[in-house]
Amino acid sequence: MLFHNLGKGKARAGAVAAIAVTVALIATGCASDGDSGSTDSAGGDSSNLSITFLPKNLGNPYFDTSDKGGEKAIESFGGTYQEVGPAEASPDAQVSYINTATTQGVGALVVSANDPTAICDALNEARDAGVKVVTFDSDTDADCRDIFINQADAEGIAKVQVDLIADQIGGSGEVAILSASANATNQNAWIEQMKTYAASEYPDITIVDTVYGDDDDQTSFDKTAALLQSHPDLKGIISPTTVGIAAAARYLQTSEYKGKVALTGLGTPNQMRDYVEDGTVTSFALWNPADLGYLAAFAAKALIEGTITGAEGDTFDAGDLGEYTVGADNTVLLGDPFVFDKDNIGDFDF
Ligand code: RAM
């Protein structure tokens, strides 16, 4: 996968690990080949490798990449891939897609949730009908999915972004957060951790505002403009969403704030390349979204085939990524975040 052969990666901000996925390729063959046609305890068919990806919304390059990773995995093990999703990343916009997948009798749903609870009833109806539910990227409450595939732990994701902005603004000043949608489980967890970490490590930094661009490009662009208007002393913006950071960078690039207000957060290299190369943005972080989707698809396969239930300690084969073990709270961790800057961004294409 993309990060495996990274030679020039530059770990910055202390604890940023250089490689997103450094899993030993110990293919112990945990996953079975599927004993076709049998029925598991929840009524699922263990040979039904029909897997539907449901991102927060369609049209976001982050999910295009993650879901392509899922498709690659599903093709490799002979399953059927489908991607569906709403145009807007709003709390219950995913419900109708979940209901349709249940009616279709898919083997598993792989979902990034716009809200921790709004889709829970629909997911539990799917599970009652035998559909395995994998959340990835943005979790639901733990009682409405079988497993969560987490891109990196929340503390690590928070730390890297706060360390980057602190570095870029010289450790003091006003900082604002431009987030995704107000209910997004993943961003909200990261923001909480960012506030705690910033307060303890950088007493001279004040987080003055958090605004929501709804993972919509234009809304994020407008919210950036409004932030800069209402906080004339703003030194930096953290946008923990690939949609937000790209829109904010586009705003800064042609504004009077370029070079004066720092911007970091979570972005994709292809969306951020121009801004890093022209100095609008110094550095930002992310993991490999393709690996995330790939891992989620293999977890779905293992659940469908009944080789795991999602319990802590369960192990499963994840193809090229090697073997993974389920940790606490039915969660599987992909790896560590990675920092992109001028020196390494040319090595990436996603
Ligand atoms: C956006 C979405 C996604 C998040 C990334 C960092 O694409 O909000 O959920 O993980 O940003």
Side-chain angles (χ1 to χ4, degrees), residues 18 25 34 47 104 106-107 111 136 150 181 197 229 241 271 296 318 347:
L25 293 171
S47 67
Q104 289 170 340
V106 301
V111 184
F136 80 126
N150 194 2
S181 54
Y197 179 69
Q229 285 285 316
T241 146
Q271 286 180 288
D347 298 340

Side-chain angles (χ1 to χ4, degrees), residues 101-346:
T102 305
T103 309
Q104 289 170 340
V106 301
L109 263 167
V110 180
V111 184
S112 172
N114 284 309
D115 183 289
T117 56
I119 60 174
C120 271
D121 287 349
L123 288 178
N124 277 329
E125 278 164 29
R127 294 169 79 201
D128 288 345
V131 178
K132 302 300 178 192
V133 173
V134 177
T135 51
F136 80 126
D137 176 67
S138 182
D139 201 8
T140 55
D141 285 350
D143 59 2
C144 36
R145 44 75 169 160
D146 296 296
I147 216 167
F148 171 48
I149 309 297
N150 194 2
Q151 45 270 60
D153 67 52
E155 290 87 345
I157 296 173
K159 181 179 187 315
V160 64
Q161 295 176 86
V162 172
D163 285 341
L164 287 174
I165 204 74
D167 190 35
Q168 292 167 20
I169 67 172
S172 73
E174 293 187 358
V175 169
I177 296 171
L178 169 66
S179 189
S181 54
N183 292 352
T185 327
N186 52 347
Q187 274 89 13
N188 285 345
W190 303 334
I191 290 169
E192 199 184 308
Q193 296 283 343
M194 286 199 273
K195 288 181 173 164
T196 308
Y197 179 69
S200 76
E201 295 300 312
Y202 300 103
D204 297 331
I205 289 180
T206 317
I207 299 184
V208 290
D209 211 348
T210 300
V211 297
Y212 301 92
D214 295 335
D215 269 351
D216 175 72
D217 176 69
Q218 189 61 46
T219 311
S220 305
F221 186 87
D222 295 344
K223 291 285 168 92
T224 305
L227 262 182
L228 291 160
Q229 285 285 316
S230 46
H231 300 283
D233 294 329
L234 202 64
K235 290 277 179 306
I237 298 173
I238 301 177
S239 187
T241 146
T242 60
V243 179
I245 193 175
R250 196 171 81 252
Y251 183 86
L252 287 179
Q253 186 177 47
T254 55
S255 79
E256 62 190 282
Y257 304 101
K258 183 179 170 189
K260 298 195 180 99
V261 175
L263 169 66
T264 193
L266 304 173
T268 68
N270 285 354
Q271 286 180 288
M272 297 304 291
R273 191 176 322 281
D274 288 352
Y275 310 116
V276 168
E277 284 174 353
D278 80 358
T280 306
V281 170
T282 307
S283 51
F284 62 94
L286 199 69
W287 42 90
N288 185 337
D291 283 354
L292 187 68
Y294 187 93
L295 178 58
F298 269 95
K301 173 183 189 278
L303 286 166
I304 292 168
E305 292 179 338
T307 54
I308 64 170
T309 60
E312 184 170 357
D314 276 356
T315 60
F316 62 99
D317 174 63
D320 294 344
L321 293 177
E323 186 183 86
Y324 274 76
T325 302
V326 182
D329 305 319
N330 316 96
T331 293
V332 179
L333 195 61
L334 175 67
D336 293 308
F338 179 85
V339 175
F340 301 88
D341 61 20
K342 218 172 194 161
D343 294 338
N344 65 24
I345 199 160

